[in-house]
Amino acid sequence: MRTKAFVMLCSTALLASACGGGGPKSDAAGGGLSDGKVVFGVLNDQSGAYSQLSGKNSIKAVELAIADYKEKYGDKAVVKEFGVETADHQNKPDVANAKAAELYDRKAVDVILDVPTSSAALKVADVAKEKKKLYFNISAATTDLTGKSCNKYTFHYAYDTYMLANGTGRNTTEEGKKNWYIVYPDYAFGQDMEKSFSAAVEAAGGKIVGRDAAPFPNTSGDFSTYLLKAPTLNPKPDVLGTMQAGAELVALVKQYNEFKLRDKGVGLAVGLMFLTDIHSLTPAALAGTTYTDAWYWNHDLTNRAFADRFKTAAGVRPTFAHAANYSAALQYLEAVQAAGTDGSDAVVKQLEGKTVEDVFLRNGKIRAEDHRVVHDAYLAQVKTPAEVTEEWDYVKILRTVPAADAFRTPSPDCKL
Amino acid sequence: MVNFLQHTFNGLVGGAFLALLALGLAVIFGMLRVVNFAHGAIYMLGAFGAYVLLTEVGLSFWWALLVMPIALALFGMALERLLVARLARLDPLYNFLLTFGLTLILQDAVKSRYGVQSSPYDAPAILSGTLDLGAFDFPAYRVFVLVMAVAVCVGVWWLLSRTRVGMVVRAATERPELSTALGIDVGRWVTPVFGFGIGLAGLAGVLAAPIRAVNPLMGADLIIVVFAVVVIGGLGSIFGSVAAGFAIGLVQAWVQALGEDWALLSQVLVFLVMAGVLLWRPAGLFGREEAPA
């Protein structure tokens, strides 16, 4: 009897944890078009793994953009009234889907911003297409947003897996670290990253000597098997490429240091890293690691000035996602200003093919073919603790990857 | 061969965490019939506590190793007195729901204070190097974890099988009504045993802090695997939970080492084993099948 009760309870436990709560469903009630008013919808993760790298602070970034627009145009501004709505999609595609519909329909949102987590980002692209409303994706990585899932109303702003692989994979290989061992989390993002990195490394004359798919989520938080394996591979890899993100990246780097792989001649390359990850691990744990950054707050005085304003508003230094949210909101308002209306088709027309310079977009261009926003990217290296003189200033920029090289050419899969 | 030995040893270290957590769960379930879902959150509190002690009080890892399990054991005892005991007479599902709710509260409380990003925590300097184990060298800290876990498991076994307290606990676990009828005050031991199980989870958390990501959700995923381990080992079986913990750690390490083609298997392995064991021996490997009531 006891046995059965226990087994039953445990099964309940497994079930309870396996099923996430279903998202709230919204009825598509008509909100009407917002005459004379522009409403932004910041849809992102506000409580989970990605809430630090964008989250609520992205709302602050959008507010800064609104303030700048007001100041620039004053009485001549087409938009006089503004609104900022926000929702937490909890990184779940079904929740993102429902919240996006709710924002567009009920909260009269004209443009949705941010949306980390690739699977959720793709759902929102479908909603934008259906509702014929604008959507700037900032923090999701999948190239499908400008590939087979692209559409007329969706723009992909900050980065993607191709940009990361092309920067880090190619450069590290060209530096002479030819043999790679790739460890990636076994889900859409990780698989996409692994493909992009393998292609970039091989194109640069390197070789993938081993690859492993780590469980996702990695329940034990342990990557030691792969770290033990790395130096025993034949030929021995020069570099371990990790595609893990967030907390899993933190665990992997901790264990990389514990197993002394650097001393054994296996370097570390990180697929995707945010400033907040370096803050978690401390620069000491990552010193010397190179990665590709879409923007860095202390790169030049323009960035720094923005970072100072952001810090006053939010209390921390901005990640590239924060800066990109600012830029997207600003460029949307500029397009509305030029079009004289917030009608979606007129705004899209203004945006397509436009070249842009702002704090985030350097040599920026909004491609008409696939709505990829291309701009300069940066090859960054984490400083040693001795080089860090200011909190949050953890990185030095090794070189700029020019906008023309940083992103892939428009994909034939994309038909707007 | 050296590779095989390395992965085997590493599997034992991974198993050590599972064994410590499963042991606590088994002790608590045996005595109280409570499936403590909050075990993962307590593990997280252990790790976070070590971080807070270091950054806000300035106490080192060694102090945390001593202080956190005791503090959490006291917290567990208070929890048992104030909440768990009130639901003890009802269907076990009530206490399961209570501890599930506690998990959410504890996680969100830590989240609201420290955020979701991982907090930095390093191994003590003396253990940050590698040890030469003859055929290969291995991070010293991991060797220490394994030694600690084995020592604790042996200690618990000694306590249960060789002391009077242990005898009472075993009697109360196996036949609570009969033990009471024989004049043993079972109720007296319920609170300390609950606290002890919680303390073990806290200990596992402190041990995990230097090598895993310290964040509010670190226990949430792990607890699912620990439940599976307890089911495999056999309900309430102290020996079974420890043996299954080490065994699952070993097998997982071996399968992961096989390479990319086996990645899918390594993810579902523990649940496959659980399903297999349940079909073959519904009471788990070391559980005792009881006569139907």
Side-chain angles (χ1 to χ4, degrees):
Chain A
M1 196 47 222
R2 241 190 275 157
T3 315
K4 279 186 192 150
F6 183 79
V7 168
M8 210 190 72
L9 279 172
C10 284
S11 328
T12 319
L14 292 171
L15 272 178
S17 47
C19 321
K25 296 272 177 288
S26 76
D27 299 319
L33 216 138
S34 46
D35 289 335
K37 187 176 178 184
V38 159
V39 184
F40 292 95
V42 178
L43 179 60
N44 59 19
D45 174 12
Q46 301 184 355
S47 52
Y50 304 139
S51 58
Q52 307 279 331
L53 63 92
S54 71
K56 288 186 178 144
N57 283 338
S58 288
I59 301 165
K60 307 266 193 236
V62 170
E63 284 164 355
L64 289 178
I66 294 172
D68 283 356
Y69 170 81
K70 278 187 191 161
E71 195 186 304
K72 181 173 173 188
Y73 289 102
D75 293 341
K76 294 196 200 86
V78 170
V79 188
K80 301 271 197 265
E81 268 187 81
F82 304 85
V84 182
E85 297 289 340
T86 180
D88 183 357
H89 73 10
Q90 303 163 30
N91 298 321
K92 292 176 186 159
D94 54 335
V95 178
N97 191 40
K99 291 284 181 191
E102 188 183 330
L103 286 171
Y104 283 138
D105 288 339
R106 278 212 218 151
K107 306 276 174 76
V109 161
D110 297 299
V111 54
I112 285 182
L113 300 172
D114 210 8
V115 198
T117 310
S118 293
S119 47
L122 290 168
K123 285 277 186 200
V124 177
D126 292 341
V127 180
K129 185 183 179 185
E130 184 198 321
K131 309 277 180 196
K132 298 193 183 344
K133 293 278 181 74
L134 267 81
Y135 164 40
F136 286 92
N137 183 281
I138 310 291
S139 351
T142 179
T143 46
D144 282 349
L145 282 169
T146 51
K148 63 175 195 268
S149 300
C150 76
N151 67 62
K152 186 180 174 186
Y153 303 97
T154 298
F155 293 83
H156 198 189
Y157 218 84
Y159 75 115
D160 60 28
T161 55
Y162 179 91
M163 181 203 100
L164 299 170
N166 182 52
T168 313
R170 196 168 82 183
N171 276 288
T172 312
T173 309
E174 281 170 357
E175 273 167 23
K177 292 178 177 168
K178 301 257 181 234
N179 293 330
W180 283 67
Y181 172 45
I182 295 183
V183 177
Y184 61 97
D186 204 2
Y187 74 114
F189 164 77
Q191 291 152 359
D192 199 6
M193 288 286 282
E194 186 272 317
K195 280 198 196 79
S196 300
F197 263 78
S198 296
V201 167
E202 279 161 3
K207 196 174 156 214
I208 311 296
V209 298
R211 49 167 75 84
D212 263 307
F216 181 85
N218 190 338
T219 48
S220 65
D222 202 69
F223 294 92
S224 48
T225 307
Y226 315 114
L227 299 168
L228 272 177
K229 197 170 158 184
T232 67
L233 288 169
N234 190 18
K236 197 177 92 170
D238 304 310
V239 58
L240 168 74
T242 165
M243 305 300 138
Q244 268 69 22
E248 297 204 337
L249 175 67
V250 172
L252 190 141
V253 173
K254 259 186 171 179
Q255 292 159 20
Y256 168 87
N257 288 327
E258 193 198 352
F259 279 87
K260 309 271 178 240
L261 284 192
R262 203 179 292 279
D263 300 345
K264 292 179 182 165
V266 182
L268 182 69
V270 174
L272 169 61
M273 188 154 66
F274 287 88
L275 189 62
T276 39
D277 295 322
I278 309 175
H279 188 70
S280 282
L281 277 161
T282 71
L286 282 160
T289 308
T290 52
Y291 71 105
T292 307
D293 205 349
W295 182 85
Y296 183 60
W297 72 269
N298 203 19
H299 180 47
D300 60 20
L301 292 175
T302 317
N303 291 9
R304 205 183 158 91
F306 172 75
D308 287 344
R309 284 177 66 204
F310 186 85
K311 193 169 186 222
T312 313
V316 292
R317 293 297 186 182
T319 63
F320 78 69
H322 295 135
N325 271 293
Y326 163 87
S327 168
L330 190 65
Q331 294 313 322
Y332 175 80
L333 287 171
E334 292 279 6
V336 171
Q337 179 74 21
T341 164
D342 66 354
S344 298
D345 290 315
V347 176
V348 168
K349 211 170 181 181
Q350 286 297 328
L351 289 166
E352 281 182 341
K354 192 180 176 191
T355 55
V356 186
E357 282 293 324
D358 68 17
V359 64
F360 178 77
L361 295 175
R362 303 297 167 83
N363 300 312
K365 184 174 186 211
I366 304 170
R367 277 203 311 227
E369 299 94 323
D370 60 350
H371 288 187
R372 170 75 251 173
V373 181
V374 302
H375 54 88
D376 289 355
Y378 306 91
L379 198 67
Q381 185 174 41
V382 181
K383 292 179 175 177
T384 61
E387 291 172 307
V388 175
T389 50
E390 185 184 352
E391 203 191 14
W392 294 103
D393 189 16
Y394 302 141
V395 163
K396 55 191 172 199
I397 301 299
L398 298 179
R399 70 180 196 82
T400 303
V401 186
D405 296 342
F407 293 89
R408 67 173 183 178
T409 51
S411 157
D413 296 339
C414 171
K415 291 172 187 71
L416 289 176
Chain B
M1 189 59 205
V2 171
N3 285 349
F4 176 74
L5 283 178
Q6 267 188 316
H7 287 298
T8 302
F9 193 80
N10 189 44
L12 289 175
V13 177
F17 285 102
L18 295 178
L20 278 180
L21 287 165
L23 177 60
L25 269 186
V27 169
I28 290 175
F29 182 79
M31 191 80 179
L32 287 88
R33 301 287 173 274
V34 171
V35 177
N36 179 29
F37 201 92
H39 223 61
I42 301 290
Y43 165 79
M44 177 272 290
L45 284 184
F48 243 96
Y51 164 73
V52 172
L53 283 183
L54 181 72
T55 51
E56 289 176 21
V57 190
L59 290 179
S60 72
F61 170 80
W62 302 108
W63 279 107
L65 201 59
L66 182 73
V67 172
M68 282 319 295
I70 295 173
L72 285 170
L74 293 174
F75 172 68
M77 287 164 79
L79 215 60
E80 198 279 332
R81 278 293 88 203
L82 294 173
L83 299 170
V84 176
R86 290 173 198 277
L87 300 175
R89 278 188 206 86
L90 301 173
D91 188 292
L93 209 54
Y94 285 89
N95 256 321
F96 168 72
L97 289 174
L98 169 77
T99 52
F100 186 75
L102 275 174
T103 304
L104 300 180
I105 293 172
L106 291 174
Q107 278 173 6
D108 278 10
V110 175
K111 229 189 245 180
S112 69
R113 174 73 179 78
Y114 295 99
V116 290
Q117 63 188 342
S118 305
S119 305
Y121 196 85
D122 290 330
I126 190 171
L127 291 176
S128 64
T130 52
L131 267 186
D132 188 3
L133 297 179
F136 53 88
D137 54 353
F138 209 78
Y141 183 78
R142 282 184 189 246
V143 179
F144 168 75
V145 167
L146 184 59
V147 171
M148 273 294 288
V150 170
V152 168
C153 292
V154 170
V156 171
W157 169 79
W158 180 83
L159 212 66
L160 284 172
S161 61
R162 293 283 184 271
T163 65
R164 195 178 155 70
V165 177
M167 198 175 73
V168 172
V169 169
R170 274 185 302 142
T173 303
E174 288 178 17
R175 291 284 182 276
E177 295 84 5
L178 196 61
S179 310
T180 316
L182 289 171
I184 300 171
D185 186 359
V186 174
R188 223 177 100 195
W189 294 101
V190 164
T191 309
V193 166
F194 190 84
F196 181 72
I198 295 287
L200 283 179
L203 177 70
V206 177
L207 287 173
I211 52 174
R212 293 184 178 171
V214 181
N215 65 57
L217 297 174
M218 65 187 289
D221 292 327
L222 186 59
I223 192 66
I224 307 304
V225 177
V226 177
F227 273 124
V229 165
V230 175
V231 171
I232 292 168
L235 91 120
S237 163
I238 308 286
F239 177 74
S241 59
V242 172
F246 280 109
I248 289 295
L250 263 185
V251 179
Q252 257 182 341
W254 286 335
V255 175
Q256 274 186 2
L258 288 178
E260 200 188 17
D261 298 337
W262 298 81
L264 188 65
L265 179 64
S266 77
Q267 297 184 44
V268 295
L269 183 75
V270 61
F271 303 107
L272 281 182
V273 173
M274 181 178 82
V277 165
L278 284 180
L279 286 173
W280 172 49
R281 287 181 66 109
L285 288 178
F286 299 93
R288 222 162 18 100
E289 190 83 65
E290 291 187 16

